[in-house]
Amino acid sequence: MKLYNSLSHEKEEFKTYEPGKVSMYTCGPTVYHFAHIGNLRSYIMEDVLEKALRWEGYEVKRVMNITDVGHLSSDADTGEDKMLKGARREHKTVLEIAQFYTDAFFDDCKKLNIKYPDVVQPATGMIDSYIKVITKLMDTGYAYFAGGNVYFDTSKLKKYYVFNDHDVEALEVGVRDSVEEDPNKRNKNDFVLWFTKSKFEDQALKWDSPWGVGYPGWHIECSCISMKFLGEHLDLHCGGIDNAFPHHTNEIAQSESYLGHPWCSHWFHVHHLNTASGKMSKSKGEFLTVSLLEEKGYDPLVYRLFCLQSHYRKALTFSWENLDNAAAAYDKLVRRIAALSREGTADAAAQGPWRTQFREVLDNDLNTSLAVTALYDVLKADLSDADKRALIGDFDRVLGLELLEHAAALSEGEKAAPAGEDAGEIENLIAQRAQAKKDKNWAEADRIRDALKARGIELIDTKEGTTWKKA
Ligand SMILES: [Zn+2]
């Protein structure tokens, strides 16, 4: 599989430390509030990656942390612990808040058909590990004690900005702007490994340590949880692109300084979900959650399909109109599958070339939009209905859209195939083209229009959207 690696800034052949096995780590949620659907886009795409690796025969062990302490309001170690803010907002204890939002997160994941990780570890359960790692970093000169806190000394590193796709200067300015200068830091990028002093003295959870009673910084938890369950050589680390700096950059700094050798070979970052007004966030505009989608009558799997229709390395723009397009495409796809006969026997040899083609699009940097298109290719192929059902079921082990299950659940009346053999597929392509235009990906939009034209389908753009006719 060729997969883009943020560390090398290239698409490269995905390799594992042990043949056939993948150790996979995912930064989990900070459980102080509901996840918004922008956060969940990352988990959906990571889930598809995990399922693709399993589908290709890898044995995957996936570990996720739950951040229930130490993630301050600013990612750069300033402000109050987010958990404490959540507890105060809801007049509950930090532990109650953590439990409630951890459950809510996994409820959302379940609705989106995201597999539960093999290991889920709350940060508060690993204090001894943090102390062990920080002690070694102190002993080896990578960490220092100042003003009551323990800091990682970034000047000891040969290279700190490992993901600098971005301009280093711009990053530095960004950090300077968003952070009140901490006078204890020797270098502006140094970060806290262990807090005992903060302006916010009512921190709820504290533990004894060689440096005084306090609590861990946010970054150290991911290094320690990953190393405990996945060992010293990690194959694949996932997360949203906004975690690349400073969080993942700091994870690498402390893990490799502690281990004395390279740590994680492959970094998979999922790009933002935007709204018309910019990057989606909890504080801005409508707070879009899975529950809200359900209240408005959408099956959460429609949102999953919407995410799959775009590449994970492109920013994706959310609008209700685009979600409606995905809902229409999903509905028609399910009805076409429901119309397939359940009689007959499948012929594995006939299916072979289709599996090969599906594998090729996954292997090309997880091209999920073409993987969705493969479903339509199968539906219109010269194959028996039994083969079509077998292939769709097999592809859906990766896509996770529960297509056969939803098709089986349709009542007899609903099972009638939609008008026009290719209607569902064409509308899926129109939805993908609308999305490409929204993302300003003109080349992709033109490609889709031309591909349809080559098949004698003409698109008509109107103010209300795009319709089509046979030319
Ligand atoms: Zn993390």
Side-chain angles (χ1 to χ4, degrees), residues 128-145 149-157 186 190-194 210-211 216-224 227 249-261 263:
D128 290 349
S129 289
Y130 313 144
I131 291 175
K132 185 181 128 199
V133 170
I134 297 168
T135 301
K136 183 168 171 191
L137 291 173
M138 286 289 274
D139 291 348
T140 50
Y142 283 105
Y144 59 92
F145 187 77
N149 297 331
V150 180
Y151 294 85
F152 186 92
D153 186 348
T154 53
S155 72
K156 295 286 193 287
L157 301 170
R186 290 181 190 165
D190 291 358
F191 55 92
V192 178
L193 297 165
W194 188 268
W211 316 284
W218 172 36
H219 316 298
I220 193 73
E221 65 178 88
C222 286
S223 291
C224 290
M227 284 191 259
T249 303
N250 291 348
E251 280 185 44
I252 293 172
Q254 63 204 3
S255 297
E256 299 198 344
S257 302
Y258 171 76
L259 292 168
H261 60 68
W263 170 52

Side-chain angles (χ1 to χ4, degrees), residues 1-4 11-14 362-366:
M1 179 184 280
K2 281 225 159 104
L3 206 54
Y4 182 85
K11 260 199 243 181
E12 56 182 52
E13 196 57 38
F14 176 65
L362 296 179
D363 284 357
N364 184 11
D365 199 21
L366 203 69

Side-chain angles (χ1 to χ4, degrees), residues 302-321:
V302 164
Y303 178 64
R304 186 176 171 108
L305 174 63
F306 170 76
C307 290
L308 263 51
Q309 285 173 331
S310 285
H311 196 251
Y312 73 91
R313 281 200 293 121
K314 292 212 176 84
L316 175 62
T317 306
F318 178 86
S319 72
W320 293 108
E321 186 195 349

Side-chain angles (χ1 to χ4, degrees), residues 25-28 65 67 218-219 221-223 237-239 243 247-248 251 267:
Y25 186 82
T26 302
C27 290
N65 66 305
T67 300
W218 172 36
H219 316 298
E221 65 178 88
C222 286
S223 291
H237 195 308
C238 305
N243 277 343
H247 182 51
H248 293 158
E251 280 185 44
W267 290 79

Side-chain angles (χ1 to χ4, degrees), residues 274-277 306 310 314-323 325 430-442 444-445:
N274 295 325
T275 60
S277 57
F306 170 76
S310 285
K314 292 212 176 84
L316 175 62
T317 306
F318 178 86
S319 72
W320 293 108
E321 186 195 349
N322 290 349
L323 195 64
N325 290 336
I430 289 174
Q432 289 189 13
R433 176 169 168 266
Q435 188 60 47
K437 284 167 89 174
K438 199 133 203 160
D439 298 334
K440 298 193 166 48
N441 187 354
W442 311 117
E444 174 68 4

Side-chain angles (χ1 to χ4, degrees), residues 353-420:
W354 298 95
R355 278 181 226 276
T356 305
Q357 195 193 328
F358 186 69
R359 184 177 179 138
E360 277 167 11
V361 302
L362 296 179
D363 284 357
N364 184 11
D365 199 21
L366 203 69
N367 192 331
T368 51
S369 68
L370 285 183
V372 170
T373 302
L375 296 168
Y376 295 98
D377 291 342
V378 163
L379 278 169
K380 66 173 189 236
D382 184 21
L383 286 165
S384 72
D385 281 5
D387 286 328
K388 290 180 184 180
R389 288 180 57 86
L391 283 167
I392 286 166
D394 190 38
F395 296 175
D396 207 27
R397 283 166 52 210
V398 177
L399 302 173
L401 295 168
E402 297 184 351
L403 295 167
L404 294 180
E405 294 84 341
H406 275 62
L410 287 185
S411 69
E412 283 308 315
E414 292 169 313
K415 271 183 190 163

